[in-house]
Amino acid sequence: MPDIRRRTVLTWLGAAAGCASVGGIATAVVAETTIGSGTLRTVSDGHLVLPESFVIGDLPADEARAILEAAGIEPGAARAPCNLTLWTSGDRRVLFDAGSGAGFMPTAGEITAGLDALGLAPDDITDLVFTHGHPDHLWGALDDFDEPLFANARHVMAETEAAYWTDPATVDALGEARQSFAVGAARRIETLGDRLERVAEDAEVMPGLRLLPLPGHTPGHVGARITDGDASALVVGDAIGNGHLALARPDWPSPADHDPERGIETRTTLLAELADSGETFVGFHLPDGGLGTVSRDGEAYRFSPL
């Protein structure tokens, strides 16, 4: 288990979307811990605003609504925090996912401000590892001029995931609401070109960082395990898609998953393994920075942020 260093509250002037505001000053909570000799942080990219129908889908409405209410989510639109993971070790600064950029939702796309609060710029990122190709994870890879935002970074995506989003058949296979996801992903992958390194779903990206297949949310969705000595942490992307329904009823299909049954298999196996091991992990849409551990709570699970 890593040593907890602190949870740092960083502030900056301006309207960082998705952050609380006090006296006109926005605040971003960054969860932080050590893994061996390195530092693992989560940096806010803001939040998504999701209609309740997207969160509940065809699930039993009364039971799902009760779970959401118990989690403090009022009827109507739900906020989904976006936690980008930053792993710093030696001279490597590894960012997992690029956030939404300016083209997806006005409440998201705040990674540049988040990095600035840490005294970093996009040019300081040495490696950019994508868990998958959804807009809130990939679209921020390009700036407002369609140039790579993280100009000095090695870009890495699982080959299965890259192939899925660049397959012309994907657009027609998705429902109308998600067709823009495929068009946007294909354009960004094409623009990145040779800069994007396509690797196996279990590839060792660098010493101490190996990808882990976590399919279901998308066909080539991956996590990544960071290891330093006896310490480790797991970046799970959207394999555990939220801090309420996914934990209370991991056996329910998620409306956000491309393959709901595969998503259930991945999620239930992953939660059980994390509960048994006590390993620190990061969930992209989990609350309080998304960095913590999970434990069993009867048939459900409970997330404990660091």
Side-chain angles (χ1 to χ4, degrees):
M1 292 290 292
D3 296 326
I4 310 296
R5 289 178 58 185
R6 64 185 182 274
R7 178 175 296 162
T8 308
V9 178
L10 298 172
T11 62
W12 65 85
L13 294 174
C19 302
S21 180
V22 179
I25 298 178
T27 62
V29 177
V30 179
E32 179 179 314
T33 189
T34 57
I35 306 294
S37 60
T39 303
L40 188 67
R41 297 184 179 96
T42 55
V43 185
S44 176
D45 192 50
H47 68 273
L48 306 182
V49 179
L50 305 174
E52 189 173 286
S53 60
F54 182 84
V55 178
I56 294 179
D58 296 328
L59 300 175
D62 290 345
E63 188 176 351
R65 182 64 250 164
I67 292 170
L68 294 177
E69 289 178 357
I73 299 174
E74 299 179 356
R79 292 190 176 197
C82 297
N83 310 301
L84 274 67
T85 303
L86 177 65
W87 167 242
T88 303
S89 181
D91 60 355
R92 306 297 283 269
R93 296 187 181 93
V94 185
L95 186 66
F96 295 87
D97 295 320
S100 296
F104 186 47
M105 284 191 184
T107 55
E110 298 294 331
I111 183 56
T112 300
L115 290 174
D116 183 65
L118 292 172
L120 298 173
D123 286 354
D124 294 321
I125 301 302
T126 60
D127 304 87
L128 179 58
V129 180
F130 297 104
T131 62
H132 63 294
H134 276 163
D136 50 329
H137 297 257
L138 172 62
W139 286 17
L142 301 182
D143 63 18
D144 293 341
F145 301 97
D146 272 358
E147 296 291 336
L149 177 63
F150 303 93
N152 297 324
R154 170 195 182 196
H155 293 56
V156 177
M157 179 179 282
E159 168 61 34
T160 304
E161 186 72 0
Y164 172 74
W165 290 111
T166 53
D167 183 348
T170 297
V171 174
D172 293 330
L174 294 176
E176 183 178 351
R178 291 185 179 179
Q179 287 181 341
S180 64
F181 290 13
V183 173
R187 184 172 70 80
R188 285 160 177 83
I189 291 172
E190 180 182 1
T191 300
L192 289 172
D194 292 341
R195 184 185 292 267
L196 181 66
E197 183 177 343
R198 305 183 184 202
V199 301
E201 294 170 75
D202 61 351
E204 183 181 50
V205 177
M206 64 189 69
L209 175 57
R210 181 177 290 276
L211 300 185
L212 176 70
L214 295 173
H217 185 64
T218 60
H221 182 284
V222 296
R225 176 165 278 113
I226 299 164
T227 305
D228 190 329
D230 295 331
S232 70
L234 186 61
V235 179
V236 304
D238 283 3
I240 304 171
N242 56 64
H244 37 78
L245 294 174
L247 300 178
R249 292 299 305 262
D251 58 320
W252 277 357
S254 169
D257 287 348
H258 288 228
D259 184 341
E261 292 305 314
R262 191 73 182 275
I264 291 172
E265 179 183 351
T266 293
R267 182 168 53 256
T268 54
T269 300
L270 178 61
L271 283 167
E273 291 177 351
L274 288 169
D276 289 341
S277 68
E279 185 177 21
T280 296
F281 74 102
V282 184
F284 192 88
H285 294 302
L286 292 183
D288 298 315
L291 178 63
T293 58
V294 72
S295 58
R296 285 183 171 83
D297 184 13
E299 296 296 319
Y301 292 87
R302 183 182 301 277
F303 175 66
S304 298
L306 296 185

